[in-house]
Amino acid sequence: MPAISGVQLSPWQTVFWAVLLVTAVAATVLSLRRKQGQEPDAFFWNAFAGLVVIVPALLVPALLSPAVGLVLFCLAAATALAALFGERKVGELRRQQSMLASAAARHHAILKRWQLYELDPARQIDYPAMSDPRAPRTAELFRAMRQAESSRLMADGGYPAAVEQLAKALEDAEDAAGAAAQSPGVTLLHAPKPPE
């Protein structure tokens, strides 16, 4: 396609403008997503700084070759969408990892609390029902332990819920055995929320 003033973009020039445009669009979108909800000045200046690079990266090739300009415009739009949805996906993955780490720490604390009934001879004598699988609440506790461990190994989304069920089963078993008033540590049912 003929270019203005007889100037044409070489393949290397097209690649240069494409890389510059993709980088500027992605950086601007990610920066604006992070500044969203913060002071308006920071949002404005980040948008302005991005547009200072994006607009020339679109206009210069478009003036030299309208077809290349159209391709670069489509590339910029696709990059903006990919950066937006990619950032959301990464944020969701981070939240899930945080929830799983919190659930794993809680799972460990629950097992440590239960082990006191298994490893401490005085507690075994005082609360024999905590080790007796024939006791209904203790049997439920053992089922909850297996479920939580299975969910942890399968790395499925049900692991935090399985740990919640395990915490409840432990407290129910302690209540049934009369150990609730003497149980060590803090209440297990109300775990702190993971950071956003």
Side-chain angles (χ1 to χ4, degrees), residues 63-186:
L63 290 174
L64 296 174
S65 173
V68 171
L70 180 62
V71 169
L72 289 179
F73 178 79
C74 293
L75 183 62
T79 301
L81 289 173
L84 184 63
F85 290 114
E87 193 268 341
R88 285 183 182 167
K89 185 69 173 171
V90 167
E92 182 61 31
L93 288 173
R94 284 183 182 154
R95 280 189 290 277
Q96 286 178 357
Q97 287 177 344
S98 176
M99 285 177 56
L100 289 175
S102 176
R106 198 147 173 254
H107 188 183
H108 179 73
I110 292 167
L111 292 178
K112 195 169 180 181
R113 178 168 161 175
W114 174 76
Q115 285 174 347
L116 292 174
Y117 296 105
E118 289 286 306
L119 302 177
D120 184 351
R123 285 185 182 274
Q124 287 179 348
I125 293 168
D126 291 341
Y127 310 108
M130 289 300 294
S131 299
D132 186 359
R134 293 171 296 177
R137 297 284 173 91
T138 306
E140 184 59 38
L141 171 63
F142 292 155
R143 278 193 292 276
M145 282 182 186
R146 284 192 301 273
Q147 180 60 43
E149 186 62 22
S150 173
S151 292
R152 183 184 71 80
L153 293 174
M154 296 294 288
D156 61 17
Y159 181 52
V163 172
E164 287 292 323
Q165 187 60 38
L166 175 58
K168 184 176 183 334
L170 177 58
E171 290 198 348
D172 289 348
E174 287 177 333
D175 284 343
Q182 305 296 323
S183 64
V186 294

Side-chain angles (χ1 to χ4, degrees), residues 9 11 13-22 25 54-80:
L9 285 172
Q13 289 171 323
T14 305
V15 168
F16 167 78
W17 287 113
V19 169
L20 180 66
L21 184 63
V22 166
V25 168
I54 292 168
V55 170
L58 280 172
L59 285 181
V60 170
L63 290 174
L64 296 174
S65 173
V68 171
L70 180 62
V71 169
L72 289 179
F73 178 79
C74 293
L75 183 62
T79 301

Side-chain angles (χ1 to χ4, degrees), residues 21 24-25 27-29 32 44-57:
L21 184 63
V25 168
T28 302
V29 169
L32 293 179
F44 169 79
W45 287 111
N46 280 305
F48 179 76
L51 289 175
V52 164
V53 177
I54 292 168
V55 170

